[in-house]
């Protein structure tokens, strides 16, 4: 990956090289191919927002290099102290859903880095999960509907379910059946288990580019893999007043925030630069192409 990518700033390049070294040293694995490094976010050039500027970059870098976190609560407290988690509801849900239940055995669960989960996929880094929860918080109120495309480990789907509660609906869509199976097993061990049992939370095998019409329209849509363009089906399934967070791009990707106004007009803005696995066909993903 480092030889393939160019970076939008020297800080971003240093950040990436630092984080890659960290992943290698922590997991003792050989570096995964470029397409399996998901959600390695490169925070850069957004001085108007202290959360996404080099301000955060330098603070997060200190956080990462000093990371010896062994408890879920300590991870949440770190993310709060660095300003990534800003609301009580996001802190609460990330405390209740223990990330350790969702990472493969032998993987350090609380290190702020994406980790391989097999099938050329990764679980996103804690700060990326927190960022997406913050961006979607207002659209994850009790009773609302949330869709998690590329649900992978099921971590965010479980968080969404806890936030929308038993009167709401959280739906995960993932195209690797084995990941759907293991995500359901993880959710069963988590605080979201009752919601799965009652049917307020469900995870489905499917092509996420088509959304999941059964429970549309959605107040919140999260896409955990990078699309070359925003799939129309997802915009169609967004409720008026709804919000979607989706990484868009190929090598250079931006996390886009898509809002559907009450008159059904759509606005799109860029939150930050990111690095996710592609939103693609199952075959292409398994081939690693
Ligand atoms: N949010 C997840 C991210 C997993 S990585 C987590 O943190 O656990 C992205 C996921 O998107 C992978 O599991 C991959 O299999 C899935 N994916 C990629 N393209 C897809 C598609 N077209 N439909 C459904 N899932 C897809």
């Amino acid at each position: 990956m480092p030889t393939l990518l160019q970076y939008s700033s020297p800080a971003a390049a240093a950040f990436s090289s630092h984080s890659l070294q960290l992943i290698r040293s922590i997991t003792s694995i050989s570096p995964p191919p470029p397409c399996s490094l998901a959600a390695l976010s490169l925070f850069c050039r957004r001085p108007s927002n202290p959360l996404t500027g080099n301000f955060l970059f330098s603070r997060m870098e200190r956080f990462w290099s000093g990371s010896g976190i062994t408890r879920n609560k300590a991870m949440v407290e770190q993310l709060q102290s660095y300003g990534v988690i800003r609301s009580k509801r996001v802190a609460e849900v990330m405390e209740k859903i223990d990330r350790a239940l969702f990472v493969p055995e032998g993987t350090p669960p609380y290190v702020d880095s994406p980790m391989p989960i097999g099938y050329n996929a990764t679980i996103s880094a804690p700060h990326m999960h927190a960022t997406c929860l913050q961006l979607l918080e207002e659209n994850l109120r009790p009773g609302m509907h949330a869709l998690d495309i590329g649900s992978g480990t099921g971590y965010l789907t479980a968080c969404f379910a806890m936030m929308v509660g038993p009167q709401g609906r959280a739906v995960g869509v993932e195209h690797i059946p084995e990941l759907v199976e293991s995500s359901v097993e993880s959710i069963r061990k988590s605080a979201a288990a009752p919601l799965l049992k009652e049917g307020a939370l469900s995870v489905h095998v499917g092509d996420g580019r088509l959304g999941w019409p059964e429970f549309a329209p959605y107040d919140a849509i999260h896409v955990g893999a990078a699309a070359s363009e925003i799939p129309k089906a997802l915009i169609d399934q967004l409720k008026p007043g709804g919000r979607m967070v989706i990484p868009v791009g190929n090598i250079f990707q931006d996390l886009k925030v898509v809002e559907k106004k009450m008159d059904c007009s759509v606005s799109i803005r860029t939150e930050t630069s990111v690095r996710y696995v592609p939103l693609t066909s199952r075959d292409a993903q398994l081939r690693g192409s």
Side-chain angles (χ1 to χ4, degrees):
M1 177 176 146
T3 50
L4 289 178
L5 289 180
Q6 293 170 1
Y7 296 95
S8 47
S9 71
F15 179 83
S16 179
S17 128
H18 172 85
S19 50
L20 276 170
Q21 279 167 16
L22 196 70
I23 293 166
R24 288 175 200 160
S25 65
I26 288 162
T27 58
S28 308
I29 52 166
S30 49
C35 63
S36 66
L37 262 184
L40 185 59
S41 64
L42 306 175
F43 290 93
C44 53
R45 291 185 309 174
R46 294 190 62 82
S48 59
N49 179 353
L51 256 186
T52 55
N54 288 336
F55 168 77
L56 176 63
F57 160 70
S58 60
R59 297 181 79 194
M60 288 301 292
E61 192 176 40
R62 270 185 279 135
F63 167 40
W64 285 24
S65 52
S67 180
I69 294 176
T70 54
R71 284 182 313 116
N72 194 59
K73 192 166 169 37
M75 177 195 80
V76 173
E77 284 166 359
Q78 280 279 15
L79 290 167
Q80 282 178 298
S81 69
Y82 284 94
V84 185
I85 297 178
R86 300 181 305 286
S87 83
K88 202 162 169 262
R89 289 183 73 228
V90 171
E92 276 170 5
V93 76
M94 288 186 72
E95 272 182 30
K96 283 187 190 146
I97 300 295
D98 189 341
R99 190 179 164 88
L101 298 171
F102 293 83
V103 300
E105 242 181 86
T107 303
Y110 308 122
V111 171
D112 196 26
S113 160
M115 296 287 175
I117 57 172
Y119 312 95
N120 284 331
T122 56
I123 181 170
S124 299
H127 77 267
M128 215 51 236
H129 282 153
T131 299
C132 292
L133 287 168
Q134 283 293 158
L135 285 170
L136 290 170
E137 188 192 0
E138 291 307 315
N139 296 71
L140 294 168
R141 300 253 158 228
M144 289 184 163
H145 283 205
L147 178 64
D148 185 20
I149 298 295
S151 49
T153 59
Y155 174 84
L156 269 187
T157 322
C159 291
F160 292 168
M162 297 292 285
M163 291 173 85
V164 300
Q167 309 305 323
R169 187 33 97 162
V171 182
V173 180
E174 166 59 55
H175 67 172
I176 305 288
E178 292 87 345
L179 287 178
V180 171
E181 207 175 300
S182 59
S183 69
V184 168
E185 276 170 32
S186 303
I187 292 166
R188 278 206 189 103
K189 294 179 203 148
S190 79
L195 297 164
L196 182 72
K197 206 169 167 198
E198 291 158 18
L201 188 178
S202 54
V203 189
H204 308 268
V205 179
D207 185 342
R209 293 171 291 189
L210 305 175
W212 198 261
E214 189 181 352
F215 302 111
Y218 296 96
D219 301 277
I221 298 181
H222 168 262
V223 184
S228 43
E229 50 192 56
I230 302 173
K232 184 176 176 300
L234 298 184
I235 293 181
D236 291 346
Q237 288 172 35
L238 198 58
K239 198 178 193 168
R243 182 181 259 211
M244 168 160 57
V245 173
I246 177 169
V248 179
N250 297 307
I251 292 176
F252 296 102
Q253 303 167 3
D254 286 324
L255 191 66
K256 301 280 186 189
V257 177
V258 179
E259 275 166 325
K260 192 182 265 188
K261 305 275 156 50
M262 295 315 282
D263 64 2
C264 286
S265 63
V266 171
S267 73
I268 304 174
R269 70 174 172 83
T270 297
E271 176 68 15
T272 186
S273 302
V274 289
R275 185 86 169 101
Y276 280 71
V277 299
L279 185 72
T280 185
S281 70
R282 191 187 311 166
D283 285 350
Q285 181 173 322
L286 295 175
R287 275 198 311 271
S289 59

